[in-house]
Amino acid sequence: MSTFSIIVDKDLEDLIPSFLSNRTKDIITMKEALETRNFEQIRIIGHSMKGFGSGYGFDYVSDAGKILEVAAKESNAVVIQETILKLEDYFANIKISFE
Amino acid sequence: MRKILIVDDSIESSQLLKRILMKRGYPNIILSHSAEDAFNILHANDSISDIDLVLLDIVMPGMDGIEACIKIKQDVKLRDIPIIMVTGMDKSSVLEQAFRAGAMDYIKKPYDILELHARVRNALNLKREMDKRKARELELLEVTEELKALNTVLEQLSNIDGLTGVANRRSFDTYLQSEWDRACRTGDHLSIILFDIDKFKLYNDTYGHQEGDDCLKRIAQICKTAIKRSNDLVARYGGEEFAVVLPNTELQGALNIAEIIRIEIENQKIPHESSPVENYVTISAGVATACPKKGNITLEQLVNIADQGLYFCKRNGRNQVRSIQPN
């Protein structure tokens, strides 16, 4: 299992705990939305993640957000499922340092 | 201190933007997570909003950024606040919509910090210049108002006889001409009265010029009180001679008013012991009337006829009213 090293701006350090817990909530929400095929909700979450992820230093969050947004527009449940799993794996294996 | 309002439903996005801007020297930042809440903040002051820049996310639940931008630009109190749209969308049609709505610029998510800073700085510089311009305009407006008020006072002063407070000769000439022109259009009659204080030179010789001036003031006031209509004008015609312009008045009406003035002055019994007429101040008045539209008389002739009436009185014992026109 690989570890993802994340470098976060020191000025954002106090925001990171809530950033992480909100992403956990996003993953839960998206899973539920996928079950009910609520692609619009997934699209909105993906769009948001795309916008702010790399700003906090979490480039993959932006990349995954972009994939989720596109997949949700296409109602592509397979890609969404796959990306959610990747995101879970990502957050389970990140190592954050502040600079 | 420049104040920036960030409107974004995503807490992470708005917090991030806030931190970036604070680090770049913009400490006065307010966060809002919906367009509706943003309007409460923008309208917090009754007067002009103190927000200098709005960073507005396009995609938001409820009212979106485009709609909010249109609403801000339609609001007189808010429309001068520059708006930068913040968007994660790449579509040019969305940006086109944003510019059409009145946005001055846009920033793409994820943020490029240098670009973000440059765009925010430009927008705030623009706002600063607009504020300066508005302050100058306001100042100019105040000075213009002051000048206008002063001009009104000057105009009034230039039309008033300094001693008696009634209209001066210049004002009489202007007013008579304008009423003459009006009567030419309407077909109304126009009358004038010219009157002189009888033997006023003797009054001055007897009582001195100070008393003479006081007498002129009293006569002017009596005359002013005697005429009732707002468009009748009493003027000092020169020396001890006064004139009254009576628009829309026929000869008999003008003779009546002249007689009222004469009697009012007589009733005051202002002592004039050296007068051969009475032992108090009296006047002699000549009256003239014209119907200018008929064109059988000129303005100069009208004045001349009143003057001849006045001289008729003088030759005929004074303290009387006359018109040489047939009644």
Side-chain angles (χ1 to χ4, degrees), chain B residues 237-248:
Chain B
Y237 195 67
E240 71 275 23
E241 200 168 351
F242 290 85
V244 183
V245 182
L246 301 164
N248 197 16

Side-chain angles (χ1 to χ4, degrees), chain A residues 24-82:
Chain A
T24 306
K25 282 179 199 161
D26 281 347
I27 288 170
I28 294 165
T29 308
M30 284 193 289
K31 279 181 175 174
E32 287 168 359
L34 190 58
E35 276 174 28
T36 57
R37 297 185 68 79
N38 184 352
F39 292 109
E40 178 58 14
Q41 193 167 12
I42 296 167
R43 189 190 67 76
I44 291 169
I45 293 172
H47 178 79
S48 293
M49 280 171 39
K50 180 184 80 175
F52 59 69
S54 58
Y56 282 87
F58 295 79
D59 290 348
Y60 181 68
V61 173
S62 282
D63 293 344
K66 195 172 178 181
I67 293 166
L68 287 164
E69 187 184 13
V70 174
K73 271 186 204 162
E74 294 166 352
S75 305
N76 190 338
V78 177
V79 172
I80 293 169
Q81 177 72 45
E82 202 179 279

Side-chain angles (χ1 to χ4, degrees), chain B residues 176-189:
Chain B
L176 183 60
Q177 182 66 57
S178 72
E179 286 306 319
W180 179 270
D181 293 343
R182 190 202 305 274
C184 281
R185 293 191 301 273
T186 60
D188 291 334
H189 283 80

Side-chain angles (χ1 to χ4, degrees), chain B residues 311-325:
Chain B
Y311 276 92
F312 181 92
C313 297
K314 288 186 178 179
R315 285 196 306 272
N316 204 40
R318 303 174 196 267
N319 191 22
Q320 55 193 275
V321 171
R322 281 287 185 279
S323 172
I324 62 157
Q325 287 174 305

